[in-house]
Structure formats: C-alpha cells, structure tokens
C-alpha cells in the first residue's frame, strides 16, 4: 500500500472515529451531570487528570521510540526495528508495574484529600478502575501501537479505538438512562477497554511476521528517553495544572465548569489533529531520508493545517456560548455559560495549533535534549502565573497562566525549528498565522451579520454547518492564494482529480 493511500485511510478513519467520539463524548458528561450532579462530574474530571500524570512512568520511551523507528521502517531494516522494539518492550513492562503500584496508592489516598459527599471506598474504586486499562496498555500493546504509527497504519489503531469507544459509550448511555450508579458504569467501561490490548496485539503479530521481541535490545537507539521524559513531565504539568489548581482552590463545581469547556476544546482539537496524524509518518520518514523534500512538504502542511485549525475554531468561537447554554440548560447548581471563558479557551487552542507543525519538526529531528530548558521554562511560567492569578480571578486566572506560557513557548518553537533545523527565517510561519488571525476576526464580523444566536439544538446545528461552509473555504483559499507552492499543489491535485473522474466515467461508459 502506498504512503498516499495510507494517509487517506488514516484521515478517513480518524475523521469518522472522531465524529462518533464527539457525539458520544458530548452526551455522556451531560448524563453524568444530570444524574449525579456537577460534583460527580467534577470528581471524574479531576480523577482523570490525576491519572494522566501517571503517564510519566512511560519515561519518554514512546516519543523517542517513534522518532527512532521512522528511519529503519522507511528502509525496511527489520534487525534495527526489532532491536528498538525489544528495548521499548522491556521499559514498558517496568512501566506497567510502577503504574499499577502508584494507581493503587492514589486510589487509597486521593479520597482523603478532597471534600466529596460520596463514600471514600466508592471514590477509591472509581479511580482504580478508571486507571486499570492503562496498566494493560503499557504491558501488552504500547510497543505495537508505536510500530503501527511509525509505519503509517494509524487507521488500524483508530478503527479499533472507535469501535471500542462507541461500544463503551453506548453501554454507558444505556446504564445511565437506567440510572445505574456510577461505580458499576466505570467497572463495565474498564472491562470493555481491556479487550483493546488483546485485539491489537493479535493484529500486529499476524501482519508483521518479521517482528521479534527476543532479539538483543537496542538501548542506544532510545537513549534520549530521559530528555524526552523531561518534556513529557513538563507537558503533563502544563496541560493538567489548571484542573488540579481549581480542585484545591475553587472546588469541584468550578472544575465541572472547566471540564465542559475543555471537553469541547479537546474534541475539536482532536478533530483538527486528524490531518497531522494522517501524514505524520510521511513527514517523519521524509525528515530522516530527504531534508529538502521535507522542507517543501512541511511548508504546505503548515499552511493548510493552520487554515483548517483557524477555520474550525472560528466557528467554535462563535457558537460555543450558545452550545454551553443549551448543554447545561437544566443544571441549576452552577453557571456554565460565560463569554470570557469562550475567549480564553479558544485563545489557548489557537496558540497550541500555531506551533504544532514546527513542534513536530523538532520531534522528527530528535532535539529533545536541546529543548529541555525551554520546555521547563514554559511549565514554570504556567505554574507561577496560574497559582498567583487563581486567587485573584479564579478560573480565569488559571487560563491566563496557560496563555502567558503559550505566548512564550509558541514563539520559541517557531524560531527554534525554522532557524536551527530548517536553516531559514521564520517569516513564512508568522505570515501564515498573521493572515489567519486577520481572517479569523473578519469571519466573526461576517457570522454576526449573517446569523442570530441559537436558542435550540436545531438552530445551533444549522448555524454550525453554515458557518463551517463559509469559514473553511475562506481560510483554505487565503492560504492557497498567498503562497506559490500552495497554488502549484492545488493545480496538481485538481488536475489529478479531473483525470481520475475521467477514467471513472470512461469505465462506466464501457
């Protein structure tokens, strides 16, 4: 199968999977809030974020392994591939053991540290069963996931995860509608998720007969794992600081408010990142084999990824207040809809996607050690500003801390990748984003002139679709017209599409 076909399969399967995940993902928190109240929803959000921190036991192996595999897979060097995966497998087995011990400890201690009306034993069991599938993931499937990702078979992982998530979602909806208590719901979710590791392992073993984990481990190939670990810890702290601070300072009801906005943002961000994940293996392998070709590809990718991201979040910015108002209309214990929160959350996501292509360039280059100080500084800025500002402005304060750190790190990544790795001025990257920012402001004026605030779900859905049909073509057209290489790519794909349609119609005519 060609790389182009794999990237198309990755894109299609991820898009379908994400749309299904979004549909179920929006329904479940609402059912939890209505059935159990904002406190339980806040507890689940807080517990999930704490368990995310346990990913530090992965010790940075995943990111380094992925980067190390691109070259050997592009050259089909199975001796090198097996050596890398053998070393990775050893680390992941240690990781699963440490994760299980720590998960058990957190399950016991965490209920004693927070104010919650639920019995402590119930809270402990919820945390344990939420985290247990990750133990199985590290022990059984993690190394196979990395192999499939490096080989461009994200669609295999995505399709399996989609089926499992849909099954979990449907079962949880069924149980919640029957008003089953929260603990049985979480236990059943855990049991279904455990099957994923078994299925993925059997698939990989069947389709890669050359794979062997019994060869001598190639530890030098993943020697930068400690530096990657620092990045991983920094990212975990950076991405999950807000909920932990709010849990301790503002309470679980405010955490529930934060989690509703974060739910929308994370689902939309995942939708946007489908484009990157579908071609990630091509860009990674290209960087290792042909730097000149990589520069050409990353330029075009950055333009269109930025255009897609800004077009999606332009729509989200316009409809999010109405969405939250409708989503929490029957909730009385706390106010969710807030226009300032909309502005802050969307700003965070835009700053994050602006740096994504250049951050991937740094990862492809394996510059983990060289960028440790910058990563630590970003986390430090976020912690200091968030801790100071939360006492002044509450939930707004932690978001301001995140934005402050992102303003520093996004610019640092853009400058580092362009100057140190691509050996050029960062002017093009900044022009791409400046054009999109101006267009973002313009479409907000356009949306307000064309649409009225949505008072029903039908009106919200209609407005979202129409706004998207306006936003996406405008951003894509602007980026296409702005750069000669983008215009050339557009003409190339337009010509190929025309030839493909002509062949199809000729066959039908015969």
């Amino acid at each position: 199968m060609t790389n182009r076909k794999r990237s198309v399969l990755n894109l299609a399967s991820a898009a379908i999977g994400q749309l299904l995940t979004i549909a179920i993902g929006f329904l479940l928190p609402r059912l939890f809030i209505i059935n159990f109240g904002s406190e339980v929803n806040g507890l689940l959000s807080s517990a999930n974020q704490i368990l995310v921190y346990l990913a530090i036991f992965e010790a940075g192996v995943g990111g380094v392994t992925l980067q190390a595999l691109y070259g050997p897979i592009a050259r089909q060097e199975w001796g090198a591939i097996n050596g890398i995966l053998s070393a990775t497998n050893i680390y992941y087995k240690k990781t699963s053991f440490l994760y299980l011990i720590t998960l058990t400890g957190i399950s016991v201690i965490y209920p004693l540290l927070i104010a919650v009306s639920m019995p402590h034993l119930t809270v402990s069991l919820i945390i344990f069963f939420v985290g247990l599938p990750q133990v199985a993931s590290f022990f059984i499937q993690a190394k196979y996931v990395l192999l499939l990702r490096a080989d461009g078979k994200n669609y295999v992982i995505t399709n399996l995860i989609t089926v499992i998530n849909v099954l979990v979602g449907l079962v949880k909806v069924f149980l919640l509608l029957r008003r089953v208590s929260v603990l049985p719901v979480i236990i059943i979710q855990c049991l279904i998720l455990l099957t994923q590791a078994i299925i993925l392992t059997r698939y990989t073993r069947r389709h890669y007969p050359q794979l062997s984990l019994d060869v001598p481990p190639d530890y030098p190939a993943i020697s930068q794992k400690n530096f990657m670990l620092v990045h991983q810890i920094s990212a975990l702290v950076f991405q999950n600081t807000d909920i932990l601070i709010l849990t301790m300072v503002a309470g679980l009801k405010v955490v529930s408010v934060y989690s509703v906005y974060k739910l929308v943002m994370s689902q939309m961000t995942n939708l946007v990142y489908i484009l990157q994940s579908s071609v990630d293996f091509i860009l990674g392998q290209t960087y290792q084999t042909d730097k000149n070709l990589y520069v050409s590809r990353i330029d075009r990718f950055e333009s269109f990824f930025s255009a897609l991201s800004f077009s999606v979040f332009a729509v989200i910015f316009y409809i999010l207040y109405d969405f939250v108002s409708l989503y929490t209309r029957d909730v009385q214990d706390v106010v969710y809809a807030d226009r300032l929160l909309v502005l802050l959350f969307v700003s965070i996501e835009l700053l994050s996607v602006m740096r994504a292509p250049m951050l991937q360039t740094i990862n492809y280059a394996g510059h983990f050690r060289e960028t440790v100080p910058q990563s630590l500084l970003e986390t430090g800025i976020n912690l200091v500003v968030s801790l100071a500002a939360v006492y002044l402005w509450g939930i707004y304060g932690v978001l301001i801390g995140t934005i402050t750190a992102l303003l520093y790190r996004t610019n640092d990544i853009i400058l580092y990748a362009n100057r140190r790795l691509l050996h050029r001025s960062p002017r093009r990257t900044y022009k791409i984003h400046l054009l999109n920012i101006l267009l973002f402001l313009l479409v907000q004026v356009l949306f307000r002139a064309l649409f009225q605030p949505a008072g029903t779900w039908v009106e919200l859905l209609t407005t979202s679709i129409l706004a998207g049909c306006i936003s996406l073509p405008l951003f894509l057209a602007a980026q296409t017209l702005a750069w000669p290489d983008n215009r050339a790519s557009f003409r190339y794909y337009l010509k190929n599409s025309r030839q493909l349609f002509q062949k199809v119609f000729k066959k039908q005519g015969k």
Side-chain angles (χ1 to χ4, degrees):
M1 185 183 297
T2 64
N3 284 346
R4 180 175 296 179
K5 287 183 178 179
R6 287 184 182 179
S7 64
V8 170
L9 280 173
N10 289 339
L11 183 62
S13 60
I16 294 171
Q18 188 58 35
L19 290 174
L20 291 171
T21 301
I22 288 172
I24 295 174
F26 284 151
L27 177 61
L28 288 174
R30 176 173 170 79
L31 288 175
F32 273 107
I33 293 172
I34 292 174
N35 284 4
F36 306 117
S38 294
E39 183 184 63
V40 171
N41 187 56
L43 169 65
L44 292 174
S45 299
S46 181
N48 277 316
Q49 291 304 312
I50 287 177
L51 293 175
V52 166
Y53 276 102
L54 297 190
I56 63 173
F57 290 121
E58 194 219 16
V61 173
V64 174
T65 297
L66 191 62
Q67 185 273 330
L69 284 173
Y70 283 131
I73 285 180
R75 297 184 290 269
Q76 287 295 294
E77 297 171 350
W78 275 99
I81 294 170
N82 287 333
I84 294 169
L85 290 177
S86 176
T88 301
N89 183 47
I90 292 171
Y91 279 117
Y92 272 136
K93 286 184 176 179
K94 296 177 182 177
T95 297
S96 64
F97 179 69
L98 292 172
Y99 191 103
L100 180 60
I101 293 174
T102 309
L103 173 64
T104 304
I106 290 176
S107 300
V108 174
I109 296 171
Y110 183 68
L112 304 175
L113 301 178
I114 61 171
V116 62
S117 59
M118 298 174 66
H120 285 179
L121 178 60
T122 300
V123 176
S124 293
L125 290 174
I126 287 173
I127 294 172
F128 182 80
F129 283 108
V130 166
L132 189 58
Q134 188 61 52
V135 177
S137 177
F138 282 141
F139 190 80
I140 301 173
Q141 74 172 24
K143 63 269 188 181
Y144 301 129
V145 169
L146 295 172
L147 173 62
L148 292 171
R149 286 180 59 193
D151 198 28
K153 292 188 177 180
N154 286 40
Y155 60 89
V156 174
I157 306 166
T158 302
N159 290 338
L160 176 59
I161 291 175
T162 299
V163 172
I164 296 293
N165 284 345
V166 169
L167 180 60
V168 168
L170 292 175
V171 170
K172 288 170 75 174
V173 168
F174 173 77
L175 295 175
L176 290 171
L177 289 176
R178 294 178 67 88
R179 299 199 175 274
V180 175
S181 62
V182 64
L183 180 56
V185 174
I186 298 301
I187 292 174
I188 293 172
Q189 168 188 285
C190 172
L191 294 175
I192 297 174
L193 289 174
L194 288 173
T195 64
Q196 178 178 309
I198 299 171
I199 296 171
L200 191 63
T201 298
R202 293 188 63 181
Y203 174 90
T204 308
R205 286 293 186 177
R206 184 183 303 119
H207 288 81
Y208 291 91
Q210 313 97 317
L211 177 62
S212 174
L213 300 177
D214 298 325
V215 303
D218 184 4
Y219 292 119
I222 55 175
S223 59
Q224 286 208 62
K225 65 181 181 65
N226 292 332
F227 298 108
M228 185 62 182
L229 173 60
V230 176
H231 282 281
Q232 190 171 346
I233 294 173
S234 178
L236 285 170
V237 173
F238 180 83
Q239 294 168 6
N240 301 284
T241 294
D242 294 355
I243 281 186
L244 290 180
I245 293 176
L246 290 174
T247 300
M248 300 303 175
V249 176
L252 292 178
K253 289 184 179 180
V254 176
V255 172
S256 182
V257 174
Y258 181 97
S259 68
V260 167
Y261 284 90
K262 190 63 177 178
L263 170 67
V264 179
M265 293 298 104
S266 61
Q267 296 288 12
M268 292 301 104
T269 300
N270 290 340
L271 187 63
V272 165
Y273 274 90
I274 288 172
L275 178 61
Q276 177 172 303
S277 63
S278 65
V279 299
D280 204 26
F281 76 103
I282 295 177
L283 293 172
Q285 292 180 18
T286 304
Y287 188 92
Q288 298 297 324
T289 56
D290 190 335
K291 296 291 176 58
N292 291 329
L293 179 58
Y294 177 80
V295 171
S296 173
R297 285 179 170 175
I298 197 65
D299 279 347
R300 286 174 289 165
F301 172 78
E302 186 175 37
S303 290
F304 293 121
F305 178 79
S306 181
L308 173 64
S309 303
F310 271 81
S311 67
V312 169
F313 286 108
V315 177
I316 296 301
F317 184 78
Y318 181 73
I319 68 166
L320 185 54
Y321 180 85
D322 292 339
F323 171 86
V324 174
S325 298
L326 290 169
Y327 191 75
T328 60
R329 182 167 48 190
D330 301 323
V331 181
Q332 304 297 327
D333 54 358
V334 65
V335 177
Y336 283 81
D338 188 319
R339 294 194 184 278
L340 182 55
L341 288 181
V342 172
L343 173 63
L344 294 174
F345 270 100
V346 171
S347 298
I348 288 171
E349 298 308 318
L350 288 178
L351 285 168
S352 298
V353 297
M354 284 167 63
R355 72 187 192 176
M358 291 300 108
L359 179 59
Q360 283 303 98
T361 300
I362 293 173
N363 292 338
Y364 299 146
H367 277 225
F368 305 116
R369 178 179 58 187
E370 293 84 350
T371 53
V372 162
Q374 299 94 308
S375 181
L376 292 176
L377 180 56
E378 176 188 31
T379 300
I381 293 171
N382 187 27
L383 281 172
V384 171
V385 177
S386 294
L387 286 170
V390 70
Y391 291 99
L392 296 174
W393 303 302
I395 189 173
Y396 310 119
V398 295
L399 295 172
I400 290 170
T402 302
I403 290 172
T404 304
L406 280 170
L407 285 170
Y408 155 71
R409 185 70 170 124
T410 296
N411 282 285
D412 173 76
I413 288 171
I414 291 172
L415 293 171
Y416 185 96
N418 277 285
R419 290 176 175 171
R420 290 282 299 277
L421 300 176
L422 303 182
H423 307 292
R424 66 181 188 183
S425 166
R427 188 177 295 113
R428 171 165 174 147
T429 298
Y430 282 118
K431 285 183 177 180
I432 288 171
H433 299 320
L434 178 60
L435 175 60
N436 284 334
I437 290 171
L438 294 174
L439 195 54
F440 183 95
L441 298 175
L442 176 62
V443 296
Q444 296 309 313
V445 176
L446 185 60
F447 289 163
R448 279 159 177 75
L450 295 175
F451 307 119
Q452 296 296 320
T456 66
W457 287 111
V458 173
E459 291 175 356
L460 184 73
L461 180 61
T462 303
T463 299
S464 302
I465 294 173
L466 292 175
C469 290
I470 295 171
S471 179
L472 183 59
L474 282 176
F475 279 94
L476 291 176
Q479 289 297 328
T480 300
L481 295 173
W483 307 102
D485 53 338
N486 290 347
R487 295 196 295 272
S489 294
F490 176 75
R491 288 192 296 269
Y492 172 79
Y493 286 112
L494 186 65
K495 180 180 178 182
N496 282 0
S497 299
R498 187 182 302 131
Q499 292 175 349
L500 177 62
F501 279 118
Q502 288 173 350
K503 288 181 182 179
V504 170
F505 286 128
K506 283 183 181 179
K507 288 182 180 179
Q508 291 178 346
K510 292 180 180 179

